[in-house]
């Protein structure tokens, strides 16, 4: 009983110290949504169990090494133990009960994080290699940055144009796979609670530039969000170059094609128009309007040497009409 009492006290002490360490080293990013608070509550419960199990095993092993070690020339056998049915039943029931308990906590947390509010902000999310595009159907705004008002639930309706992606903002804690196909549209609900700048990342390996599939997320006050909406609605460009710039920004083109001459997944657009490019098959082509149009709607027909094929989405002809293509080409031509 003396040993049991000492071990129990040591286990309690080291459980508290271990949990204090886990809570203080910053394992989790800042909580920035209502759902993050709920999920972190579950994380913290796990931290307590981890701390207890780590302390239980470590204290018993270390205590036994020091207290029950062989002393002097004592070579007598220890007490012969064949087993204990009671102990086996206990250490079966306790883990079983723990698993059932966490199943209940998980189901409860899932129910809390999926509560739908009636006045949620609707945002349509399109994922592609390797970009995010966000459309606000209530305002007819489309952008490559996710703007959100604080303390208002957001409903994301998400689809992919090519492969499986995964929407994840670590500070919001919630994550949802985004699947291709109109029959596999996914929804995700969360409520931002902290004004600030964050990043939406793709959490599903989706190809060569997967690591760079990031987009800014800006959480702002309700007033600032409304000001942004009013600015966007009042700043529709009228000239072809401006319209083309807005189109390429909204559809993730600049995620692969740089505008400043730097290397990217695809050729830079700076100074591209009018040049002669060597293709992967060894032939050459002059970059004119016809080539650019063909490169957008048939991206694998003429691959520039040094760049991979099957990277750019091949279904842009479904999204852009001839007028849109003319605007985009006008913008590329302006980058001299």
């Amino acid at each position: 009983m003396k040993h049991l009492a000492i071990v129990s006290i040591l286990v309690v002490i080291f459980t508290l110290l271990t949990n204090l360490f886990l809570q203080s080293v910053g394992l989790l990013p800042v909580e920035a949504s209502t759902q993050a608070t709920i999920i972190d509550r579950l994380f913290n419960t796990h931290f307590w169990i981890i701390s207890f199990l780590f302390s239980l095993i470590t204290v018993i092993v270390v205590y036994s090494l020091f207290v029950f070690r062989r002393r002097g020339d004592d070579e007598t056998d220890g007490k012969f133990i064949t087993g204990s049915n009671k102990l086996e039943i206990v250490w079966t029931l306790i883990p079983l009960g723990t698993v059932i308990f966490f199943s209940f906590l998980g189901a409860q947390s899932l129910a809390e994080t999926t509560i739908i509010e009636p006045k949620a902000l609707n945002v349509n999310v399109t994922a592609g290699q390797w970009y995010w595009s966000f459309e606000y159907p209530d305002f007819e705004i489309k952008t490559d940055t996710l703007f959100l008002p604080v303390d208002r639930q957001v409903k994301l309706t998400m689809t992919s144009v090519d492969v499986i992606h995964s929407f994840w903002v670590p500070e919001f804690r919630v994550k949802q796979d985004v699947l291709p196909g109109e029959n596999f549209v996914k929804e995700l609900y969360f409520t931002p609670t902290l004004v600030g700048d964050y990043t939406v990342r793709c959490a599903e390996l989706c190809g060569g530039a997967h690591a760079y599939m990031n987009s800014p997320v800006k959480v702002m006050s309700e007033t600032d969000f409304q000001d942004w909406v009013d600015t966007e609605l009042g700043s529709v460009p009228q000239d072809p170059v401006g319209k083309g710039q807005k189109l390429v920004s909204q559809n993730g083109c600049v995620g692969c094609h740089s505008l400043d001459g730097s290397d990217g997944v695809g050729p830079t657009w700076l100074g591209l128009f009018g040049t002669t490019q060597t293709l992967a098959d060894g032939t050459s082509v002059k970059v004119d309007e016809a080539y650019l149009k063909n490169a957008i709607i048939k991206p694998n027909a003429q691959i520039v040497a040094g760049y991979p094929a099957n990277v750019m989405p091949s279904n842009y002809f479904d999204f852009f009409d001839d007028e849109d293509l003319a605007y985009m080409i006008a913008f590329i031509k302006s980058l001299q």
Side-chain angles (χ1 to χ4, degrees):
M1 292 302 296
K2 179 186 70 173
H3 294 305
L4 180 61
I6 294 174
V7 167
S8 298
I9 293 173
L10 290 175
V11 167
V12 171
I13 293 173
F14 278 95
T15 296
L16 294 173
L17 292 176
T18 303
N19 186 70
L20 179 62
F21 170 77
L22 293 177
Q23 298 286 355
S24 61
V25 294
L27 295 176
L28 301 175
V30 63
E31 293 180 1
S33 74
T34 302
Q35 290 69 24
T37 303
I38 298 169
I39 293 172
D40 281 4
R41 183 179 64 203
L42 192 58
F43 269 124
N44 291 332
T45 307
H46 277 88
F47 288 157
W48 277 111
I49 296 296
I50 291 170
S51 301
F52 170 72
L53 292 176
F54 173 79
S55 301
L56 180 68
I57 296 170
T58 303
V59 167
I60 291 177
V61 170
V62 175
Y63 186 84
S64 299
L65 287 174
F66 281 95
V67 176
F68 300 111
R69 70 186 186 279
R70 191 183 72 177
R71 291 176 171 80
D73 297 328
D74 183 10
E75 297 184 359
T76 58
D77 293 333
K79 182 179 179 181
F80 181 70
I81 300 175
T82 58
S84 171
N85 291 335
K86 292 181 179 180
L87 183 59
E88 291 182 7
I89 292 173
V90 169
W91 71 31
T92 299
L93 292 179
I94 291 179
L96 177 62
T98 303
V99 170
I100 294 174
F101 173 67
F102 273 99
S103 299
F104 169 76
L105 291 182
Q108 185 182 52
S109 300
L110 180 62
E112 291 182 47
T113 57
T114 54
I115 294 175
I116 301 175
E117 298 177 6
K119 295 184 179 180
L121 173 67
N122 294 305
V123 182
N124 296 332
V125 180
T126 301
Q129 294 175 312
W130 287 275
Y131 68 91
W132 297 98
S133 179
F134 309 101
E135 181 182 3
Y136 299 77
D138 296 336
F139 310 110
E140 297 184 354
I141 295 174
K142 193 174 182 181
T143 176
D144 59 353
T145 298
L146 182 58
F147 292 90
L148 302 173
V150 72
D151 295 327
R152 180 180 176 185
Q153 190 178 68
V154 181
K155 175 189 176 183
L156 302 184
T157 303
M158 302 186 290
T159 187
S160 169
V161 298
D162 38 51
V163 299
I164 298 176
H165 300 279
S166 187
F167 180 97
W168 181 44
V169 180
E171 292 81 2
F172 297 163
R173 300 295 189 273
V174 291
K175 182 169 62 174
Q176 175 63 57
D177 283 354
V178 185
L179 309 179
E182 59 183 15
N183 296 324
F184 299 100
V185 176
K186 296 295 182 179
E187 293 182 353
L188 182 65
Y189 293 84
F190 60 88
T191 305
T193 57
L194 189 62
V195 172
D197 295 333
Y198 309 99
T199 302
V200 54
R201 311 175 191 276
C202 179
E204 185 77 28
L205 184 60
C206 58
H210 159 71
Y212 305 102
M213 189 173 166
N214 304 324
S215 284
V217 179
K218 295 185 177 295
V219 178
M220 55 188 69
S221 67
E222 187 70 40
T223 301
D224 289 342
F225 178 76
Q226 188 59 52
D227 289 343
W228 170 77
V229 171
D230 294 339
T231 301
E232 286 293 308
L233 293 177
S235 62
V236 179
Q238 300 300 318
D239 63 296
V241 173
K243 291 182 178 180
Q245 183 177 12
K246 195 171 185 67
L247 281 169
V248 300
S249 175
Q250 291 173 343
N251 291 280
C253 303
V254 294
C256 293
H257 301 279
S258 72
L259 308 181
D260 57 4
S262 59
D263 294 334
V265 179
T268 181
W269 284 349
L270 181 63
L272 177 65
F273 188 81
T275 62
T276 298
Q277 297 288 322
T278 301
L279 303 181
D281 60 6
T283 61
S284 298
V285 63
K286 184 176 181 180
V287 179
D288 54 16
E289 288 92 343
Y291 168 78
L292 289 175
K293 180 177 180 179
N294 192 57
I296 295 172
I297 62 177
K298 297 179 180 179
N300 292 311
Q302 294 176 299
I303 302 297
V304 176
Y307 294 96
N310 301 312
V311 171
M312 186 170 166
S314 58
N315 56 351
Y316 276 156
F317 60 86
D318 291 330
F319 295 97
F320 304 124
D321 56 26
D322 289 340
E323 190 175 40
D324 292 333
L325 293 172
Y327 293 149
M328 296 169 72
I329 293 171
F331 173 67
I332 297 174
K333 290 172 63 177
S334 70
L335 298 172
Q336 300 299 322

